[in-house]
Amino acid sequence: MYELTNYSEVVVKKVLDDYIANNNIQCKCERCLADIMAYALNHLPPRYFVSHKGEVLTSFESQTLPDRTRVLAEVVYASVIVAANPSHSKEN
Ligand SMILES: [Zn+2]
């Protein structure tokens, strides 16, 4: 009925999608992208909110959204960290 969503995660996912669409990063495998998201999210404040399941997020207060410039900076930094020390090779 209700679900808990971290809006920072939504924004990081969107920013990361845009970033890898327009930039060459060393590896775009599922593991590396998840590592980049985890690293960026650990450096950003969480923005949890409760919504009805499947509800569109338009009603969420825009002033509480994480700053997109800061999110992009964390995503770029995370991609450098992950590229330097990828986890995928340990699993494959
Ligand atoms: Zn990878």
Side-chain angles (χ1 to χ4, degrees):
M1 185 68 81
Y2 293 97
E3 60 186 358
L4 192 59
T5 303
N6 180 359
Y7 202 84
S8 292
E9 184 178 337
V10 176
V11 174
V12 166
K13 178 83 168 68
K14 175 81 174 79
V15 168
L16 178 59
D17 283 349
D18 289 348
Y19 183 68
I20 64 175
N22 296 303
N23 296 274
N24 272 321
I25 65 170
Q26 187 160 310
C27 180
K28 296 180 182 180
C29 79
E30 193 176 7
R31 177 61 202 261
C32 286
L33 295 184
D35 281 347
I36 290 169
M37 280 198 66
Y39 192 96
L41 282 166
N42 281 338
H43 288 83
L44 293 163
R47 297 289 186 220
Y48 284 101
F49 67 99
V50 177
S51 65
H52 287 285
K53 204 165 179 61
E55 185 181 6
V56 183
L57 305 178
T58 48
S59 62
F60 196 55
E61 298 287 330
S62 62
Q63 64 266 29
T64 64
L65 296 180
D67 178 58
R68 193 184 165 89
T69 304
R70 183 179 170 197
V71 171
L72 178 60
E74 294 292 354
V75 165
V76 171
Y77 188 63
S79 69
V80 172
I81 298 292
V82 170
N85 188 22
S87 299
H88 55 205
S89 57
K90 294 169 194 162
E91 290 182 343
N92 294 341

